[in-house]
């Protein structure tokens, strides 16, 4: 009888030890997955909480949300870094180019240069430097955004206004008429135009805009070409583009215009059903 009791106790202890060991292995694997995600700058990781104790479940939920907060913090830092870099580069380029443009223009006005072999050369120098100055001035808007003029907008009416501008697209707008957004209407309109133009250039025929009330986010989707993972990691970097004629500032500028309004734009890890690409617009809590 005693031997049988001891055997039961040992069996119970063995089961507890094995289960605890398996549980610890599960936690170890989760830690490795999150570490790998952080190393690869994949801050959209979400690990399930099923099978965890209540304390571990709370910790996992915090880690899942922390990934999103880290992503937003990096977005802030990247915008500030690119603004500083662009400001320095445009300043140095203008300092070097403006004198060249002025000198070549002066030579073109010199009667001794007119109708000589030198005139064509100076014209090329002037045209090239003028084009470069115009190019740099175009990118200065990356660092010289005006202060937003905030006002309450009906989100539904605002989004519906685009349907008449792009009548060739099929529109699916799911936004309660009561939802209001405090934003700069002109800046927000430019952001939407950038997203819609990108969708059209990706052969999109359908645009979906949906407000998720329990998360207070706006989902802007299209059925254009899928964005590859390697491209998705770079799309908000200024001057990055996969288009032959693209400038690469549309999405970066859109994110900056939203940040000054207390909003943030990011690419969803998975598009909503029926679409290939989904962008998320939400309030920035940083």
């Amino acid at each position: 009888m005693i031997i049988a009791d001891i055997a039961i106790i040992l069996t119970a202890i063995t089961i507890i030890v094995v289960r605890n060991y398996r549980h610890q292995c599960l936690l170890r694997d989760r830690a490795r997955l999150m570490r790998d995600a952080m190393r690869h700058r994949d801050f959209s990781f979400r690990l399930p909480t099923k099978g965890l104790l209540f304390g571990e479940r709370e910790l996992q939920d915090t880690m899942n949300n922390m990934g999103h907060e880290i992503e937003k913090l990096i977005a802030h830092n990247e915008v500030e870094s690119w603004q500083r870099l662009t400001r320095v580069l445009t300043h140095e380029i203008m300092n070097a180019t403006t004198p060249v443009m002025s000198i070549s223009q002066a030579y073109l006005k010199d009667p001794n240069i007119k109708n000589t072999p030198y005139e064509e050369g100076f014209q090329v120098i002037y045209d090239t430097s003028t084009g470069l100055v115009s190019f740099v001035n175009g990118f200065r808007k990356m660092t010289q955004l005006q202060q937003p003029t905030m006002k309450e907008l009906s989100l539904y009416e605002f989004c519906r206004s685009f349907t008449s501008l792009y009548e060739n697209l099929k529109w699916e707008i799911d936004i309660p008429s009561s939802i209001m957004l405090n934003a700069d209407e002109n800046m927000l309109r430019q952001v939407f135009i950038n997203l819609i133009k990108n969708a059209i250039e990706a052969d999109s025929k359908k645009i979906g805009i949906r407000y998720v009330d329990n998360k207070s986010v706006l989902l802007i989707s299209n059925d254009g070409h899928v964005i590859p993972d390697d491209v998705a990691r770079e799309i908000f970097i200024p001057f990055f583009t996969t288009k032959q004629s693209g400038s690469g500032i549309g999405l970066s500028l859109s994110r900056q215009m939203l940040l000054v309004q207390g909003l943030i734009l990011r690419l969803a890890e998975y598009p909503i059903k029926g679409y290939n690409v989904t962008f998320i617009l939400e309030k920035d809590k940083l």
Side-chain angles (χ1 to χ4, degrees):
M1 191 71 177
I2 296 177
I3 295 177
D5 290 340
I6 293 175
I8 292 173
I9 294 173
L10 290 175
T11 300
I13 293 175
T14 302
I15 292 173
I16 293 173
V17 170
V18 170
R19 286 184 175 178
N20 183 64
Y21 175 76
R22 288 178 177 175
H23 189 71
Q24 294 304 311
C25 289
L26 172 65
L27 296 178
R28 179 200 60 195
D29 293 341
R30 285 172 174 269
R32 289 177 177 175
L33 285 172
M34 287 188 288
R35 184 171 62 245
D36 290 341
M38 299 285 281
R39 184 180 296 121
H40 292 93
R41 294 171 61 88
D42 178 13
F43 303 110
S44 59
F45 64 83
R46 295 291 184 274
L47 296 180
T49 58
K50 184 179 180 180
L52 299 180
L53 300 176
F54 68 93
E56 296 167 342
R57 187 161 52 247
E58 183 69 24
L59 178 61
Q60 185 64 66
D61 284 335
T62 301
M63 292 297 296
N64 287 343
N65 294 329
M66 186 180 297
H68 179 39
E69 295 304 316
I70 292 174
E71 183 182 20
K72 292 201 292 186
L73 180 60
I74 288 179
H76 273 267
N77 291 337
E78 283 183 347
V79 165
E80 292 174 358
S81 297
W82 282 112
Q83 283 180 333
R84 288 194 295 269
L85 178 60
T86 303
R87 190 179 299 115
V88 171
L89 289 178
T90 54
H91 177 74
E92 294 301 323
I93 292 173
M94 290 295 287
N95 282 347
T97 307
T98 303
V100 174
M101 184 177 66
S102 299
I103 293 172
S104 59
Q105 185 180 32
Y107 273 110
L108 286 172
K109 294 179 179 179
D110 189 334
N112 295 322
I113 299 297
K114 287 288 186 180
N115 301 319
T116 69
Y118 297 107
E119 183 179 14
E120 182 179 354
F122 281 116
Q123 187 65 55
V124 171
I125 293 173
Y126 176 75
D127 291 343
T128 302
S129 57
T130 301
L132 186 56
V133 168
S134 177
F135 174 82
V136 171
N137 284 332
F139 285 122
R140 274 185 167 175
K141 61 185 178 181
M142 295 280 293
T143 60
Q144 297 177 348
L145 287 179
Q146 63 184 26
Q147 288 299 311
T149 303
M150 310 293 282
K151 69 175 184 178
E152 289 289 317
L153 302 173
S154 167
L155 193 54
Y156 173 76
E157 292 298 332
F158 175 81
C159 293
R160 195 173 66 87
S161 67
F162 292 97
T163 60
S164 58
L165 294 177
Y166 300 94
E167 295 180 343
N168 293 331
L169 293 172
K170 179 181 178 181
W171 291 85
E172 295 180 353
I173 301 178
D174 182 12
I175 303 174
S177 58
S178 60
I179 299 298
M180 304 296 290
L181 178 65
N182 189 37
D184 183 301
E185 185 173 5
N186 292 329
M187 283 188 174
L188 190 62
R189 186 175 300 279
Q190 186 60 52
V191 171
F192 272 68
I193 288 175
N194 285 338
L195 293 177
I196 295 169
K197 284 185 175 180
N198 284 347
I200 293 174
E201 290 172 355
D203 294 331
S204 176
K205 302 296 187 293
K206 181 173 66 172
I207 300 290
I209 306 178
R210 188 175 76 183
Y211 183 78
V212 184
D213 188 56
N214 61 331
K215 295 183 179 179
S216 297
V217 301
L218 190 67
L219 305 179
I220 308 168
S221 306
N222 69 75
D223 63 343
H225 301 313
V226 175
I227 300 178
D229 291 340
D230 58 332
V231 174
R233 289 191 291 268
E234 312 289 343
I235 59 174
F236 290 108
I237 294 179
F239 317 129
F240 173 82
T241 181
T242 57
K243 308 169 191 172
Q244 291 184 350
S245 59
S247 63
I249 66 170
L251 287 176
S252 175
L253 187 59
S254 294
R255 174 175 270 185
Q256 291 185 49
M257 286 191 289
L258 289 176
L259 281 175
V260 297
Q261 300 177 69
L263 303 168
I264 192 166
L265 179 70
R266 60 189 178 92
L267 181 66
E269 183 181 6
Y270 302 106
I272 65 174
K273 187 177 180 180
Y275 297 90
N276 294 327
V277 177
T278 295
F279 285 92
I280 299 175
L281 194 156
E282 60 186 327
K283 289 186 178 180
D284 179 20
K285 299 178 182 178
L286 291 181

